[in-house]
Amino acid sequence: MEYASDHALAATAVSILGALWFGWTVRHSGPWTRLAPVAGLVLAGVVAALGALAAARAWPDGTVVTGRVVSIYVAALAVHAGLTRLCTGLLASRYRRAVAAAKDGAKAAVTVGKQRVHLIPTVVAISTALQVAVIANTLDVPALYLGAAAGIAVALLAWPLGWVLRAVPHPRGHRPTVALVHPLTGLLTGAVLVATAALVLLP
């Protein structure tokens, strides 16, 4: 059975995830491109606040949240976080070993395994989308599954989109694809999460 409080709680949780992605994107954006993630951060905060308020108001009407459900979710979250950390650690391991083996003056020039490191934001974005699916299952909010699928799609789309945009005229010439992929990943993922949260919050 679906409850309004659970929809509002799901919207709050997902918008917080979106806020984290927008916050990360601000750090990886230039001075002229920070407006979009900052605006997204503000919007995510508004949706989270509205969701929390709606959840508090609707809580007496019923919820699937019980001590057992919370325990299962916390366990699933811990396993999920551990697997994500393992995957990102494996991606970075070769580069870290190369940096550790290089002399102090040559550490900045190490490129061995660096391409795999560039995939970490993509992996984390996909992991976030899977977490949304876990929230959907825990709180019985089917609409979140659409957001989870969209999150995986945009995480993968960021690379070809970054490759296309790298040729856009720039004072310093063509930018490397990864310089665009990382902020694109954060911006697209954050946008999908906040849009999903807003959709779930609607009556």
Side-chain angles (χ1 to χ4, degrees), residues 6-152:
D6 297 332
H7 278 246
L9 191 60
T12 302
V14 173
S15 58
I16 289 173
L17 291 176
L20 292 174
W21 271 104
F22 281 127
W24 179 85
T25 306
V26 169
R27 295 173 49 202
H28 290 79
S29 301
W32 298 105
T33 55
R34 285 182 184 153
L35 181 59
V38 168
L41 192 57
V42 172
L43 182 59
V46 171
V47 175
L50 291 174
L53 182 61
R57 287 178 175 175
W59 199 264
D61 298 333
T63 177
V64 299
V65 178
T66 62
R68 180 174 176 274
V69 168
V70 171
S71 298
I72 293 173
Y73 176 73
V74 169
L77 181 63
V79 171
H80 183 85
L83 289 175
T84 301
R85 182 66 185 87
L86 177 63
C87 290
T88 56
L90 288 173
L91 286 173
S93 60
R94 189 181 179 193
Y95 175 70
R96 287 173 178 169
R97 286 197 301 269
V99 170
K103 295 181 179 179
D104 290 342
K107 290 184 183 296
V110 173
T111 58
V112 176
K114 201 167 186 178
Q115 291 298 324
R116 293 169 59 181
V117 173
H118 293 326
L119 293 174
I120 289 178
T122 302
V123 170
V124 176
I126 293 173
S127 175
T128 302
L130 295 177
Q131 182 59 34
V132 172
V134 173
I135 295 172
N137 182 68
T138 303
L139 296 178
D140 192 20
V141 183
L144 287 184
Y145 289 116
L146 180 61
I152 293 174

